[in-house]
Amino acid sequence: MLNPSAPTSSTASRAEHAVAQDEGGASVAIAPQTAGISLRSVTKRYGSVLAIKQINLEIAAGSYCCLLGPSGCGKTTTLRMIAGHETITSGEIWIGNSRVNALPPAKRNTAMVFQNYALFPHKTVRQNIDFGLKMRRISPRERAQRVDEMLDIVGLKEFAQRKPDKLSGGQQQRVALARALVTRPQVLLLDEPLSALDENLRVKTRGELRKLQRQFGMTFIQVTHAQDEAFSLSDQIVVMDHGQVDQVGTPQTIFNQPASKFVAQFIGDNNIFSGTVVQVDPGEKGAMIQLDVAGLGRFRCTGQAANVGMAAAFCVRADQMTLHSPGHSEIKDDNASSNQVSARITAVEFTGYVTRVSLMLEATGQEILYKALTQDWGAHQLQEGQLIPLSWRVNDSIFLSH
Amino acid sequence: MRNRPLSFYFLAAFFGLFLLFLYGPLITIFILSLQGPDGALTFPVRSFGFHWLGQVFQEQRVGNFVEPFQRSLLLGLGVMGLAILVSVPAAIAFRNRFRGSRIIFYLTIASLIVPSVLVSLGIGVMFQVLGWETNWFSSGLGAHLTWTVPFAFLIMIGVFNRFNPSYEEAARDLGASDFTTFYEIVLPLIAPSLVGVGILGFTLSYDEFTRTSLISGQDNTLPLEIFGMTTNVTSPALYALGTLTTVFSFAMIGAAFWGYQFFAKRQRE
């Protein structure tokens, strides 16, 4: 569907131009292909409501960054502030080497793909894509050429004369992308670009987005509430909650080392145990922290630092627990390197490849989740209502300071 | 046959009565206007014919129909244009809250609640104080605008409430100025609604009576002329006139419907 050959040649030649002029010492300003973004203590206030609280964020040039969080966390507001569709109350926004606080959207070298695309319904596909070029007063000949090129890239050449309403959701999404990309922005801002598509198309389009980003080399910043989307697309994920940045990291870091209870919960399938820190043993790779969880006793987990007496928590992923047979109640030999609880099976949910097992801790009534490959689960021959021991490695228990 | 509940028949009968009540008078006048030369003002109808429809265009002893019609038509078109011209920018202004917006809103709407005779009287007195002559195209036009502009304004507020602002954001994102955004994006998208507002303005003006009654000056608008005739004309020509103006109104509605379809279709296809 995407034709990678057409634009690569043109972008490559543009890059060569820029380099050639730099070497020649000419100070002709050619906008580079891409730019990094920097938010410095950015705050947004609506009347008395503090929507964004002093955000600091660095997004590397040419990277794919996802702002991830539940609805109302401030991710869309952040994106719109970068785009210039929302003014900031205080702080600074930098795109590349310029401070863009007061610049209108069109002067920021950004382009936005709106949620539900906001394609102009009274204009054809061609007129929609052409709009940004027309506004920039580019010559009709170049406009036609660039629109053709874009139509080629998104594979919509034969739909050029159609109105958006006559296109499928996936085609509309590609028109929206083309309309934004044709202006050659340094940064592309995408507001939930996949949420209007059905599941199959979403996975397919995800791949195309990533491919476009590599091909054009510009910075993509995408707002999403779906963690699978963020995981599969991003170089960097920014998890947001209540107008603040909770954690920034690669998908692997976010998945394996959630930094807070909120991230652990939002990423999903984590079992979280809250308690009090009773002992901290600093080590080479971090600290071994002991927590006392009311009703369950002491657990060991790994983290960076903690103070004895502080209220904190740790989490264990549902797929990193080990089930034992009902009689097997003493795992004394493992005590130093593993934690153990005993829980009753309350529900077994077959989801295909994976089986999800809900359990309830005998001691406290807390609900926990265990996930196993369906084929492994079958071997256990366990029934609902059975009381079984569960254990997990200390290295898989991640300390959460807040 | 489908088995319908008893309430269906009750409500259907009720609705039938409503329709009869609504269109009965119109149909009565329609029938009475299609009489032969021996027709009278009341039933029974002795013979059918188009005699009285033709009579309308003859000079009547008590008045002339053609010129008032032309005046009402011109007035209606003027009111239509002005209502659109005022209500669109006003409604756009009200998309953002501004200081005093609420007061201005209620002041605008209040004009719909004030008894129409008082509006007419007020304008008349004002013109007298200022020493201006009342006329259908000056004081009359003003009186019609006190009625049509608030209506058009309310409708446009509704239109913009449903208008998705992301179209405008997309346009600005792509580098369009405020004016270009309005001209290229907003205007084409609200065009079908403008037809609606226009036709409403026109019809409100076309059959306006009370507000015009005291201030139309020397020359009557059509409703005033017809009212004058009811006291003097004793032939079915009066009904024929009613039929003709009704047909004209329907034609206007038809034209508006066509206009709406035209703009809506152009948008989608």
Side-chain angles (χ1 to χ4, degrees):
Chain A
M1 202 153 291
L2 297 172
N3 173 2
S5 68
T8 356
S9 57
S10 80
T11 43
S13 69
R14 258 162 55 83
E16 278 160 23
H17 272 300
V19 170
Q21 297 206 344
D22 281 349
E23 282 172 352
S27 59
V28 181
I30 282 195
Q33 293 288 294
T34 181
I37 309 272
S38 169
L39 303 188
R40 301 177 190 167
S41 312
V42 171
T43 295
K44 175 71 186 177
R45 194 185 283 278
Y46 294 105
S48 61
V49 182
L50 201 53
I52 300 292
K53 299 163 195 163
Q54 294 238 334
I55 280 191
N56 286 296
L57 187 59
E58 296 289 330
I59 299 168
S63 67
Y64 205 127
C65 173
C66 277
L67 306 180
L68 177 67
S71 58
C73 72
K75 56 191 193 296
T76 299
T77 306
T78 305
L79 190 81
R80 289 169 55 82
M81 289 191 306
I82 297 171
H85 293 299
E86 210 80 65
T87 57
I88 61 175
T89 309
S90 64
E92 291 182 356
I93 297 181
W94 289 73
I95 298 176
N97 293 322
S98 44
R99 186 165 164 274
V100 298
N101 284 21
L103 288 182
K107 295 262 161 73
R108 296 188 177 202
N109 288 321
T110 60
M112 184 144 166
V113 175
F114 288 80
Q115 190 169 21
N116 299 318
Y117 320 135
L119 297 175
F120 307 132
H122 59 298
K123 292 183 182 290
T124 63
V125 168
R126 169 170 282 279
Q127 287 168 335
N128 263 285
I129 299 175
D130 185 41
F131 192 81
L133 301 177
K134 192 170 149 192
M135 292 305 120
R136 283 171 171 71
R137 301 186 198 291
I138 288 164
S139 76
R141 241 178 85 190
E142 192 190 336
R143 270 164 54 194
Q145 190 195 333
R146 277 166 71 170
V147 173
D148 281 335
E149 190 183 290
M150 255 355 275
L151 282 167
D152 231 20
I153 292 170
V154 296
L156 288 172
K157 210 155 203 175
E158 61 269 47
F159 299 101
Q161 297 309 322
R162 296 236 192 138
K163 295 275 170 76
D165 270 20
K166 305 278 173 194
L167 302 177
S168 71
Q171 289 166 337
Q172 288 181 13
Q173 200 255 10
R174 277 182 278 151
V175 177
L177 271 173
R179 184 175 71 176
L181 286 171
V182 77
T183 58
R184 295 179 183 160
Q186 294 175 332
V187 180
L188 190 72
L189 306 165
L190 306 107
D191 188 3
E192 301 265 9
L194 304 174
S195 62
L197 305 177
D198 64 43
E199 184 57 33
N200 284 336
L201 198 54
R202 193 159 31 213
V203 172
K204 190 168 160 240
T205 312
R206 219 158 66 187
E208 287 173 3
L209 274 180
R210 183 71 213 192
K211 213 155 105 187
L212 275 178
Q213 192 265 337
R214 294 240 166 87
Q215 183 182 321
F216 281 82
M218 64 188 67
T219 314
F220 273 41
I221 304 178
Q222 177 166 335
V223 160
T224 180
H225 62 269
Q227 46 139 318
D228 57 337
E229 210 171 291
F231 281 156
S232 64
L233 285 169
S234 314
D235 297 313
Q236 172 180 277
I237 294 180
V238 178
V239 186
M240 293 185 68
D241 181 37
H242 288 107
Q244 281 170 318
V245 172
D246 243 59
Q247 189 174 3
V248 180
T250 63
Q252 289 75 13
T253 309
I254 302 282
F255 185 63
N256 293 321
Q257 273 124 31
S260 69
K261 269 201 230 182
F262 169 76
V263 176
Q265 234 153 29
F266 188 74
I267 294 308
D269 298 346
N270 265 309
N271 292 304
I272 298 169
F273 299 88
S274 298
T276 315
V277 175
V278 290
Q279 195 177 324
V280 181
D281 303 314
E284 281 171 28
K285 284 182 169 177
M288 173 74 71
I289 300 163
Q290 283 193 44
L291 267 92
D292 184 57
V293 178
L296 288 176
R298 285 192 177 196
F299 292 90
R300 292 161 200 276
C301 58
T302 54
Q304 287 312 309
N307 297 322
V308 172
M310 76 188 272
F314 71 92
C315 69
V316 191
R317 279 219 318 272
D319 59 323
Q320 289 183 328
M321 294 185 160
T322 311
L323 275 188
H324 304 278
S325 45
H328 180 109
S329 58
E330 295 149 45
I331 320 173
K332 51 189 172 201
D333 52 335
D334 278 352
N335 236 1
S337 62
S338 73
N339 293 310
Q340 188 186 348
V341 291
S342 141
R344 198 174 287 282
I345 301 175
T346 56
V348 178
E349 194 186 357
F350 169 75
T351 65
Y353 190 53
V354 166
T355 295
R356 298 164 65 90
V357 184
S358 303
L359 305 104
M360 190 187 273
L361 295 185
E362 266 303 272
T364 60
Q366 183 185 345
E367 296 212 3
I368 61 172
L369 178 73
Y370 167 75
K371 265 167 65 174
L373 297 183
T374 298
Q375 53 187 33
D376 294 347
W377 172 252
H380 286 300
Q381 300 203 315
L382 291 167
Q383 304 292 324
E384 280 178 28
Q386 274 183 301
L387 188 64
I388 51 164
L390 279 159
S391 70
W392 59 86
R393 298 190 313 145
V394 169
N395 282 343
D396 293 333
S397 340
I398 310 299
F399 177 72
L400 308 169
S401 61
H402 62 284
Chain B
M1 281 298 282
R2 271 204 291 158
N3 205 359
R4 297 185 191 276
L6 195 65
S7 60
F8 171 81
Y9 296 100
F10 176 74
L11 290 172
F14 190 76
F15 182 64
L17 274 176
F18 165 73
L19 281 185
L20 188 70
F21 195 74
L22 196 65
Y23 288 101
L26 210 68
I27 294 167
T28 312
I29 286 189
F30 184 65
I31 294 170
L32 286 175
S33 68
L34 294 176
Q35 298 186 82
D38 54 352
L41 280 177
T42 51
F43 285 103
V45 173
R46 293 193 193 85
S47 60
F48 284 101
F50 297 101
H51 176 80
W52 299 105
L53 290 177
Q55 283 287 305
V56 170
F57 297 97
Q58 313 292 323
E59 185 81 24
Q60 304 286 316
R61 258 172 304 149
V62 285
N64 184 3
F65 154 73
V66 178
E67 281 172 24
F69 171 73
Q70 286 169 344
R71 277 177 220 129
S72 274
L73 185 65
L74 270 177
L75 190 58
L77 290 174
V79 167
M80 179 172 106
L82 285 171
I84 291 175
L85 226 58
V86 174
S87 66
V88 171
I92 288 175
F94 273 83
R95 293 174 81 186
N96 299 315
R97 252 181 250 149
F98 56 88
R99 256 178 101 86
S101 63
R102 189 174 281 222
I103 290 166
I104 295 177
F105 181 81
Y106 286 126
L107 276 178
T108 311
I109 302 310
S111 148
L112 294 175
I113 305 162
V114 175
S116 10
V117 168
L118 285 187
V119 174
S120 190
L121 198 65
I123 294 175
V125 170
M126 192 183 84
F127 268 60
Q128 201 176 29
V129 168
L130 294 171
W132 294 350
E133 196 183 327
T134 54
N135 258 314
W136 62 272
F137 52 81
S138 55
S139 49
L141 177 69
H144 283 199
L145 290 177
T146 63
W147 176 231
T148 49
V149 166
F151 260 124
F153 170 65
L154 279 181
I155 293 175
M156 287 320 296
I157 286 213
V159 167
F160 280 114
N161 267 339
R162 277 179 286 123
F163 193 86
N164 184 352
S166 65
Y167 292 135
E168 290 154 285
E169 282 179 355
R172 281 197 199 101
D173 201 68
L174 292 164
S177 65
D178 285 351
F179 176 78
T180 317
T181 304
F182 178 76
Y183 182 75
E184 287 259 3
I185 308 299
V186 179
L187 196 57
L189 290 178
I190 64 168
S193 310
L194 293 187
V195 173
V197 170
I199 197 67
L200 183 86
F202 182 85
T203 49
L204 285 180
S205 158
Y206 181 66
D207 68 356
E208 214 297 313
F209 179 79
T210 325
R211 282 162 200 260
T212 334
S213 57
L214 303 175
I215 47 167
S216 73
Q218 295 269 310
D219 303 312
N220 277 341
T221 59
L222 188 61
L224 295 182
E225 190 75 11
I226 294 177
F227 184 75
M229 284 182 183
T230 53
T231 54
N232 296 318
V233 178
T234 51
S235 72
L238 189 64
Y239 299 141
L241 181 55
T243 299
L244 286 177
T245 54
T246 307
V247 167
F248 176 75
S249 294
F250 276 121
M252 288 306 292
I253 292 169
F257 193 69
W258 177 86
Y260 181 86
Q261 292 283 325
F262 174 76
F263 283 118
K265 208 173 161 181
R266 217 172 57 164
Q267 228 171 74
R268 304 287 159 196
E269 275 176 17

